[in-house]
Amino acid sequence: MNNTLITRTISLISFLMLLCGISSYAQEIGQDFQDVYINGLRYCGFYAPEEFEAALGKPDAVEDYGYMTYCYRMTVTEATPAAVKANIIGEARQLEDCFSYVDYGDGKLNFVAYVIVTDRYVLNGHVRVGDHVSKVREMGGDFQDYKRDDGKGRLVWRPYAFGNFLWNECPEFYYNSDGIITMMSCYYD
């Protein structure tokens, strides 16, 4: 009985120390991770089209994917360092970052979804595609990690400000078998 009490006490103390460490880390680097921002735009916030463009750049296209969506396209080629030295360039493929909104006709756009697959955009001034997924945990909050047998996975993050949002309405970070973020996404439905 005493061993169980001691074990629980140690577990509780360890958990509290972890929480304090995350909180102090956020203070140390001067970031507020209570909410979600992409390049300074608050997720679910309302912005004039010019504010979207100032933060994200001029879109390559505006598409209707269920929501009106600013699309930012980038063509990339993949090659190993040896292939680059031999001047062998891999096949080109197009990547597309998407930021969706609802236009209520009042001059403001409600930012309701994003899918980011390039490293051009940063979440909360802290995490971007190409970072290790452990950086997400540095922001505190609640997490659900869905790791597959092959090592790839999806980490879902519920910031403290999201309260009791459903998990399917929280930011998701897809990562490869090395733990590198390959995509960030979120949509509020």
Side-chain angles (χ1 to χ4, degrees):
M1 186 85 165
N2 282 340
N3 286 341
T4 304
L5 180 61
I6 291 171
T7 303
R8 286 184 181 173
T9 303
I10 289 172
S11 295
L12 178 62
I13 290 170
S14 297
F15 177 72
L16 291 173
M17 288 174 68
L18 175 66
L19 285 179
C20 291
I22 289 170
S23 176
S24 65
Y25 176 78
Q27 290 172 353
E28 178 183 313
I29 64 171
Q31 297 292 330
D32 175 13
F33 299 135
Q34 300 300 308
D35 217 331
V36 177
Y37 292 84
I38 304 292
N39 282 27
L41 295 178
R42 188 173 130 316
Y43 176 67
C44 291
F46 290 83
Y47 299 96
E50 299 79 26
E51 292 173 295
F52 259 92
E53 289 187 20
L56 305 173
K58 184 167 177 52
D60 295 308
V62 179
E63 303 283 352
D64 185 350
Y65 292 143
Y67 293 117
M68 294 309 295
T69 303
Y70 285 144
C71 302
Y72 299 85
R73 297 175 176 141
M74 170 191 268
T75 301
V76 297
T77 56
E78 294 183 25
T80 64
V84 171
K85 285 181 184 177
N87 203 21
I88 300 170
I89 307 250
E91 188 174 317
R93 62 186 177 112
Q94 187 166 320
L95 302 177
E96 182 175 73
D97 297 315
C98 298
F99 302 89
S100 299
Y101 61 88
V102 175
D103 185 351
Y104 294 107
D106 60 357
K108 294 285 188 176
L109 308 177
N110 183 203
F111 179 20
V112 295
Y114 61 85
V115 175
I116 301 170
V117 295
T118 71
D119 64 358
R120 294 188 287 185
Y121 304 99
V122 62
L123 186 139
N124 286 359
H126 187 66
V127 178
R128 66 179 67 228
V129 169
D131 287 341
H132 196 274
V133 72
S134 62
K135 284 189 80 172
V136 177
R137 291 188 182 277
E138 294 172 355
M139 295 189 292
D142 298 317
F143 302 94
Q144 286 189 353
D145 197 350
Y146 302 93
K147 193 166 190 170
R148 300 183 340 198
D149 290 339
D150 62 2
K152 297 176 182 179
R154 175 175 56 106
L155 180 66
V156 183
W157 171 55
R158 184 165 54 198
Y160 295 121
F162 277 36
N164 290 323
F165 266 37
L166 299 174
W167 284 104
N168 66 341
E169 297 174 340
C170 295
E172 299 177 328
F173 300 84
Y174 292 82
Y175 56 90
N176 65 20
S177 58
D178 294 322
I180 303 302
I181 298 169
T182 58
M183 181 173 76
M184 304 186 298
S185 67
C186 191
Y187 70 94
Y188 181 78
D189 201 16

